[in-house]
Amino acid sequence: ALIPLLNAYRHESTEAVWDIISLTTSELRKFVETNEGAEKKLRAFAGQLAREQYERLGWHSNEDEPETDTKLRATILSLMIYSEDTEVIATAKEIFNATPLEELDPELRPLIVSAAVRYGDQPADLVESLMKVYEKTASVDLQQDIAHGVTSTKNKVVISRLLDQVQAGIVIRNQDAARWFVYLLRNRDGRTLAWDWLRSNWQWIEKTFGGDKSYDDFPRYAGSILTTKEQLEQYRH
C-alpha cells in the first residue's frame, strides 16, 4: 500500500515531505532484508524516487539556494546511495579521496564516509585510518561522522573489532558506547554480531552502565531494530 503512495510524491521538492518519504523507505527496508530479490527492487525504487531531485540538486550547494535545499540534498543522496547507484557511489568515493575529512561538507560527510567504507576496496585499512583520526580529533562532530561512517562497513572482521573497541573503552569512550552499538545494530551486516555481543556481554553492560542514563538505550534500541522471530524469542528470554 505504501509503494504507490510514495511513488505519487516522486515529483515533490519540499524537504519536510522527503523527510517522511525517507523515514517510510527506511521502515520498508525491514521487510525485505531477508529477501534478496525484494531488496533489490526496493533499492531500485528508492533510486527512481530520488532521481529527479538528485539531478536538480547534485552534490554541491549553490550560493543562493534555500537552506531547505541544502538539507534536502543529504536526504536525496542517502536514498541514492541506498539504491547502490554506481555513479553516485563512485562520486562519493572520489570526493572522499580528494578532500580532507575536516573540509568535507558537514551536511554530507557522514554519507560520504559511509559510502567510502561500505563500498571501498580495502575497508579494514580505511577503518583503521579513520579510527586514528577519531582518537586524535577534538571535534565532536567529526567523531560522530566517523562513527556513523565506519559502522556502515560490510566487513564482519572489522565489525567484531569495533565491538571489541566499544568494550575496551579506550578509543571509544564509555559515554559513546551506546551510540556505537546502535549504529552497528542498524547496519544489516552488523546486526547479528551486535546482538550476539549484547547478549554475551550483558553483565559487563549492567556493571558499566547500570547507573547511567544510557543504560536503557541498549535494550530499547535493540527491541526497535531487531526483526526476526528468532531474535524476538532471544530478546524475551
Side-chain angles (χ1 to χ4, degrees):
L2 286 170
I3 297 292
L5 181 61
L6 289 173
N7 194 49
Y9 285 90
R10 66 191 309 161
H11 302 300
E12 181 60 60
S13 60
T14 304
E15 181 211 354
V17 175
W18 277 99
D19 283 346
I20 301 302
I21 292 173
S22 178
L23 176 63
T24 305
T25 305
S26 295
E27 289 300 306
L28 286 172
R29 295 180 195 184
K30 297 177 182 178
F31 295 92
V32 300
E33 285 186 350
T34 58
N35 186 321
E36 184 177 353
E39 184 177 42
K40 285 182 178 179
K41 289 181 179 179
L42 183 61
R43 287 183 185 276
F45 177 68
Q48 292 165 10
L49 275 180
R51 170 64 60 181
E52 181 178 323
Q53 293 306 309
Y54 171 66
E55 292 177 352
R56 181 176 75 86
L57 296 169
W59 280 89
H60 305 290
S61 59
N62 300 313
E63 185 175 345
D64 299 323
E65 74 178 15
E67 184 180 357
T68 52
D69 273 1
T70 303
K71 293 181 177 180
L72 175 58
R73 181 175 290 105
T75 301
I76 296 300
L77 287 172
S78 177
L79 287 166
M80 293 300 294
I81 291 172
Y82 172 70
S83 76
E84 297 189 331
D85 182 283
T86 54
E87 176 197 340
V88 173
I89 290 172
T91 301
K93 291 161 66 176
E94 287 172 8
I95 294 172
F96 176 84
N97 291 326
T99 313
L101 278 173
E102 297 82 356
E103 297 177 18
L104 289 170
D105 182 343
E107 294 282 347
L108 305 181
R109 186 165 56 199
L111 294 173
I112 293 171
V113 176
S114 294
V117 169
R118 189 164 180 81
Y119 300 104
D121 298 326
Q122 295 179 308
D125 292 342
L126 179 54
V127 168
E128 184 177 351
S129 66
L130 286 167
M131 291 305 295
K132 289 179 180 178
V133 177
Y134 178 92
E135 184 176 11
K136 294 178 181 179
T137 185
S139 170
V140 174
D141 290 338
L142 181 55
Q143 282 189 328
Q144 290 180 352
D145 292 345
I146 290 173
H148 183 280
V150 301
T151 52
S152 66
T153 180
K154 298 179 183 179
N155 190 300
K156 299 291 195 296
V157 174
V158 171
I159 292 167
S160 294
R161 289 175 182 170
L162 291 174
L163 287 167
D164 288 342
Q165 290 193 53
V166 168
Q167 191 165 1
I170 301 173
V171 176
I172 300 172
R173 297 170 300 177
N174 285 344
Q175 61 260 41
D176 300 320
R179 178 189 299 117
W180 280 79
F181 166 73
V182 172
Y183 283 168
L184 287 168
L185 199 65
R186 285 176 176 166
N187 176 359
R188 58 165 300 172
D189 297 293
R191 185 167 302 140
T192 299
L193 287 172
W195 173 231
D196 289 344
W197 174 86
L198 180 69
R199 295 164 61 213
S200 299
N201 294 284
W202 185 252
Q203 288 185 335
W204 172 79
I205 290 169
E206 284 188 317
K207 180 180 178 181
T208 307
F209 303 102
D212 190 86
K213 63 181 181 179
S214 66
Y215 178 52
D216 73 319
D217 287 348
F218 293 93
R220 182 161 54 87
Y221 280 100
S224 67
I225 294 170
L226 299 175
T227 57
T228 68
K229 290 183 179 180
E230 179 183 3
Q231 289 166 344
L232 174 60
E233 289 306 310
Q234 292 169 344
Y235 188 90
R236 285 172 169 167
H237 297 95

